[in-house]
Amino acid sequence: RLLSFGNPANLDQLAYTLPGAEAMDSPGIRTVESREPISAAKVFGRDEDRGIYGDLAVFTATSIWAQRDDFEASAGTWDLMTDHFGTLSPHSLVNTPFGLLALGYDGTEDLVAFMLPFGATRPVLISQPIRSTEKLPLAYREFACAEYYKGFYVLSFVPENGTTPTRQWWADLRKFSLQSKAPNYGIGWWGPMDGQCIGAFAIQSQVPDANEFIGGEGNSSYIDELWQEDTLSDNGTDYSIIFETRSMDAKDPASMKTFQGALIGVQAASQQTLNVKLRSNEDESSEDTTVDVGSAGTLVSDTTLVADSLRVGGEVFTEAYVSGANPLFGNRLAVRVDYDGGEYIAIKRVVPIGTKTRRIIP
């Protein structure tokens, strides 16, 4: 479809240019059997007989419809996939190798993300483990946007008490399977990432680009290059870098634990001060601490680290123990590390330290 757009006279209609047509004055019309205005539309998957033309998904605030036939000007039938939730965030709709993902809306202000998996007839909620972690203002949901990159669905949105999309959560889809048990289906959430105002995502994938993942800041019109090997900077100015573990990750999520802290393996080019935040799934309050780490290896004359392959005995990195003022109670722990950008640093591993415990419930 060359173009799709809404009809202000009939908000339940979606208009689009016909296949092979370039004119906008004779579009096809699809009407959704809902009294709510259409909020978004997206083609996903592949039709068996049409190749590149996939199914059409149309969204309202509280419903999702699918046109699985060859949708021409008047042909085809609609399939109501759900009347419990929809989306108000059209720029969060992203095609992935696993299905169509989006930030949803179900009448609450929780973080609700869903997927229309390939081969499934109904959407599945994938954000249940973290849905109450974030509160999203209703008025700013249209500012949310997302992109898929190397197994991650990266979502940017406006957090509670905010007006710009400065918060990110990354859904790790690399172990996704409908055969896995709900509520996570093998998906792990990384975050929350803070600080960058991302209004749009893009990936450079043409030679000589190196698949840089870039995000545009709508307020300043700058471009942030993420995951590049050189100094991370925006318009020549270094900014704070944040690393997040998988949300509330743990080897044994069923057992309750008392967490004393975490062990962080760091490789740094120079002396660095890390700001570390520990948060358990039971404790709303988190513990903040700072730790200084030095260079993890001998520096050569040009102030660069000796390559790991040249070191006798393999790579070397600093083990830093971090702990808060008080132990944290819960069955999972998340660790956040941030520092001032401009120098090379690598997080090699993060190991929560705690003991299994029991709690008497009155």
Side-chain angles (χ1 to χ4, degrees), residues 150-206:
K150 293 186 177 180
F152 286 88
Y153 172 74
V154 183
L155 175 66
S156 174
F157 58 91
V158 178
E160 185 180 20
N161 298 322
T163 58
T164 55
T166 57
R167 186 74 54 83
Q168 296 178 43
W169 277 90
W170 301 1
D172 187 351
L173 306 174
R174 293 172 295 180
K175 295 183 180 180
F176 167 76
S177 173
L178 288 175
Q179 304 303 318
S180 300
K181 295 181 179 180
N184 61 346
Y185 299 99
I187 296 175
W189 286 88
W190 298 62
M193 322 292 187
D194 286 306
Q196 290 182 319
C197 177
I198 302 296
F201 286 113
I203 299 174
Q204 297 185 103
S205 58
Q206 300 295 325

Side-chain angles (χ1 to χ4, degrees), residues 71-271:
F71 51 99
E72 298 290 352
S74 60
T77 59
W78 287 102
D79 175 21
L80 177 60
M81 304 187 76
T82 177
D83 59 358
H84 292 87
F85 64 90
T87 186
L88 295 171
S89 309
H91 298 295
S92 70
L93 289 161
V94 174
N95 274 311
T96 75
F98 313 96
L100 181 67
L101 269 71
L103 177 66
Y105 178 64
D106 62 353
T108 71
E109 292 194 354
D110 298 338
L111 191 151
V112 178
F114 66 89
M115 177 191 292
L116 301 181
F118 295 143
T121 59
R122 292 292 183 268
V124 295
L125 292 176
I126 62 173
S127 59
Q128 289 295 87
I130 64 164
R131 69 169 294 166
S132 60
T133 301
E134 298 285 354
K135 301 295 183 183
L136 278 64
L138 177 62
Y140 298 103
R141 284 180 179 257
E142 70 272 19
F143 291 171
C145 64
E147 185 57 89
Y148 173 78
Y149 186 74
K150 293 186 177 180
F152 286 88
Y153 172 74
V154 183
L155 175 66
S156 174
F157 58 91
V158 178
E160 185 180 20
N161 298 322
T163 58
T164 55
T166 57
R167 186 74 54 83
Q168 296 178 43
W169 277 90
W170 301 1
D172 187 351
L173 306 174
R174 293 172 295 180
K175 295 183 180 180
F176 167 76
S177 173
L178 288 175
Q179 304 303 318
S180 300
K181 295 181 179 180
N184 61 346
Y185 299 99
I187 296 175
W189 286 88
W190 298 62
M193 322 292 187
D194 286 306
Q196 290 182 319
C197 177
I198 302 296
F201 286 113
I203 299 174
Q204 297 185 103
S205 58
Q206 300 295 325
V207 177
D209 298 328
N211 294 325
E212 293 95 345
F213 188 42
I214 60 177
E217 297 193 9
N219 292 338
S220 305
S221 299
Y222 292 159
I223 297 295
D224 297 326
E225 296 188 9
L226 308 179
W227 297 323
Q228 60 178 354
E229 296 180 358
D230 203 352
T231 299
L232 297 183
S233 62
D234 179 8
N235 200 33
T237 302
D238 296 338
Y239 54 84
S240 180
I241 311 300
I242 299 174
F243 295 92
E244 297 276 357
T245 65
R246 176 171 168 171
S247 176
M248 305 302 179
D249 197 13
K251 295 293 184 181
D252 182 11
S255 298
M256 302 303 294
K257 309 173 188 71
T258 300
F259 293 102
Q260 285 79 29
L263 192 65
I264 303 177
V266 183
Q267 186 178 32
S270 63
Q271 185 79 15

Side-chain angles (χ1 to χ4, degrees), residues 26-44:
S26 58
I29 300 292
R30 306 306 300 138
T31 301
V32 176
E33 298 175 7
S34 172
R35 294 185 178 181
E36 288 185 313
I38 293 175
S39 59
K42 187 76 171 181
V43 175
F44 70 104

